[in-house]
Amino acid sequence: MKKILVILGPNLNMVGIREKSIYGAENADTINEDILTFARDAGFDCDIYQSNHEGELIDKIHSTLGNYDGVVLNAGALTHYSYALRDAIAAVEQVPFVEVHMSNVHKREEFRHKSVISEVCRGVICGFGKDSYRLGIQALKGMI
């Protein structure tokens, strides 16, 4: 069975608590349960990892090499300025990454319109709420 990883960046543990008008009222735990169920039904073994610390996210990205067949990544605000995350993804280029965002970042603040990680990811999905993760998993299924 193929193994995938869903990586969640800063503040994504606060979904359902923060900015409900953007992210909805469903909490992170139930969204994660839905991700795991969807991944299993799609034929994947799936792990979820969340951290509010850039260095820990970089270490986790490095660890994907040889351990995971693909990654769905919601890097949160780090998407827009972390060249360190970008370089970490590029370092494990054999592992396909799909960038996802629950909100439509193009309808939000100007600084969210630019992603520094997009060019090292296979694709980008945004604006579908928690279904963005399902779409990312589905995209991986077509790649691996």
Side-chain angles (χ1 to χ4, degrees):
M1 181 178 289
K2 299 286 185 178
K3 188 171 184 180
I4 64 170
L5 175 65
V6 176
I7 298 178
L8 306 170
N11 301 308
L12 290 166
N13 59 310
M14 300 300 287
V15 170
I17 297 169
R18 68 181 272 252
E19 299 179 281
K20 291 180 184 181
S21 63
I22 295 172
Y23 299 106
E26 189 171 359
N27 70 44
D29 290 336
T30 59
I31 291 172
N32 289 350
E33 289 172 20
D34 184 60
I35 290 169
L36 292 171
T37 299
F38 185 82
R40 184 181 62 247
D41 291 347
F44 291 121
D45 183 15
C46 179
D47 293 329
I48 299 175
Y49 177 81
Q50 191 277 326
S51 178
N52 294 314
H53 305 281
E54 185 177 27
E56 290 177 4
L57 293 166
I58 290 166
D59 289 341
K60 192 64 173 179
I61 290 168
H62 291 169
S63 79
T64 63
L65 198 57
N67 293 307
Y68 292 95
D69 298 293
V71 177
V72 172
L73 169 64
N74 184 343
L78 292 172
T79 299
H80 313 292
Y81 68 88
S82 179
Y83 293 100
L85 277 185
R86 183 214 178 277
D87 290 349
I89 297 165
V92 297
E93 66 183 341
Q94 303 91 323
V95 180
F97 276 68
V98 176
E99 176 186 344
V100 302
H101 303 280
M102 292 178 69
S103 69
N104 182 347
V105 294
H106 302 289
K107 293 179 82 172
R108 297 187 63 197
E109 303 93 339
E110 181 71 28
F111 77 89
R112 295 186 196 275
H113 297 183
K114 171 77 171 135
S115 167
V116 299
I117 65 171
S118 290
E119 65 184 35
V120 293
C121 291
R122 300 280 175 95
V124 179
I125 297 166
C126 70
F128 297 98
K130 72 176 187 176
D131 287 338
S132 293
Y133 298 112
R134 291 178 178 212
L135 294 167
I137 291 166
Q138 196 63 37
L140 280 179
K141 189 169 185 171
M143 290 180 215
I144 57 178

